[in-house]
Amino acid sequence: MPSGARKWFTLGSSALFFALFSLEAPFGRFSSPWIFTLDGKVSWMMMEIVSPICFSYSYFTSPLGGSTLSTRQNLLAAAYLTHYANRAVISPLMTPSRSRSDVIVLAAGVTFNVLNGCLIGSYLSSPDTQTFLSQRSSAIFIFGMLLWGLGFAGNIKHDMILMDIRRKSSEKKDSANNGGKEHYAIPHGLLFRWISFPNYLCEWFEWLGFALAASATPSFVPLSFADLLGVFHASASSFFPTLTPPWIFLFNEIVLMFPRALRAQIWYRKTFGDKFPKDRKIIIPFLL
């Protein structure tokens, strides 16, 4: 497992966590009309397809890989590739329309997916992971995979609700001239009753299950401010050594998606005013 990539991938996302509270990633409802934009569906597919390609390359050719991959390794690989088959191909092809996306978003997405795909692929195919999985409790492994499946299904189901809004938007575009702008509405149904971004929450549960099945839970000790500063200068191999790529993926998803969800929640309330449910939370029912 490339420790340098593991370290800086985690630290880079941590830095972006704070920046994204004040910056709007220019895609979707926050897209900006300037010259360096691409068709939303094309841009999305270009940046997401990179992940399964890099994962597959690393999984099957990584120098860390063993000659014989176990059933559990292959099940986890299939789960990863299934997610991205939907995310990179099936979902965008089913989506009637997407707002134009900034080339900066494409570049950032490609960078993230190259790093994540290579890290997860090389981790899953490593002899250490094969040994760990052979000793992993069947109950924990099965629970993790079931949680992955429930999260995956929930993510798709709530995305379908959002697609229906886009579908109605496309029908309106066919019957009226709205300048090509995307139509947004308040989603309803299932977990949308309580939170604005159940698709995000389900995806977090999906990768939590994946991490539980694929790796031991990381262990952490409380760090002082001086210790935190020392993390940047520490060797890559000593950087939170129990923090493996599956857990880094979950961590990165949370720190990169939550700021956008918060800003989108503010946008919803500003755009729809009293029509927006006052008691609807952002991403955790009844709490946050």
Side-chain angles (χ1 to χ4, degrees), residues 29 155 158-159 161-162 165 184-202 204 257-258 260-270 272 275-288:
R29 61 179 58 83
N155 179 257
H158 290 95
D159 273 347
I161 293 174
L162 297 175
I165 292 175
Y184 289 95
I186 302 171
H188 294 280
L190 300 178
L191 291 179
F192 280 115
R193 177 179 177 184
W194 297 286
I195 56 177
S196 296
F197 297 93
N199 50 331
Y200 286 14
L201 180 62
C202 288
W204 294 355
M257 293 165 74
F258 178 74
R260 183 170 179 83
L262 175 62
R263 294 186 68 84
Q265 179 84 338
I266 296 171
W267 179 90
Y268 269 127
R269 294 193 181 280
K270 180 180 178 180
F272 296 105
K275 295 180 180 179
F276 189 78
K278 293 182 179 180
D279 58 348
R280 182 180 290 187
K281 301 300 183 180
I282 304 171
I283 207 161
I284 301 177
F286 312 113
L287 294 177
L288 180 63

Side-chain angles (χ1 to χ4, degrees), residues 52-70:
I53 291 174
C54 290
F55 171 88
S56 297
Y57 179 80
S58 296
Y59 186 69
F60 291 109
T61 67
S62 172
L64 298 176
S67 58
T68 303
L69 297 168
S70 69

Side-chain angles (χ1 to χ4, degrees), residues 3 70 82 90 126 140 145 154 171 191 205 228 254 265 283:
S3 295
S70 69
T82 298
I90 298 171
S126 70
I140 295 176
M145 295 304 295
E171 292 171 357
L191 291 179
F205 275 115
L228 288 173
I254 294 172
Q265 179 84 338
I283 207 161

Side-chain angles (χ1 to χ4, degrees), residues 39-61:
D39 176 83
K41 292 174 67 172
V42 173
S43 176
W44 183 268
M45 294 179 74
M46 287 173 62
M47 69 180 179
E48 294 298 331
I49 199 66
V50 170
S51 188
I53 291 174
C54 290
F55 171 88
S56 297
Y57 179 80
S58 296
Y59 186 69
F60 291 109
T61 67

Side-chain angles (χ1 to χ4, degrees), residues 70-119:
S70 69
T71 300
R72 288 187 174 185
Q73 285 173 294
N74 287 330
L75 282 173
L76 288 162
Y80 189 93
L81 293 174
T82 298
H83 171 88
Y84 276 98
N86 175 71
R87 185 175 177 87
V89 181
I90 298 171
S91 178
L93 289 178
M94 291 178 62
T95 302
S97 64
R98 282 184 182 270
S99 298
R100 294 186 67 81
S101 180
D102 197 298
V103 292
I104 295 174
V105 173
L106 174 61
V110 168
T111 301
F112 179 95
N113 285 319
V114 167
L115 289 170
N116 192 61
C118 289
L119 282 171

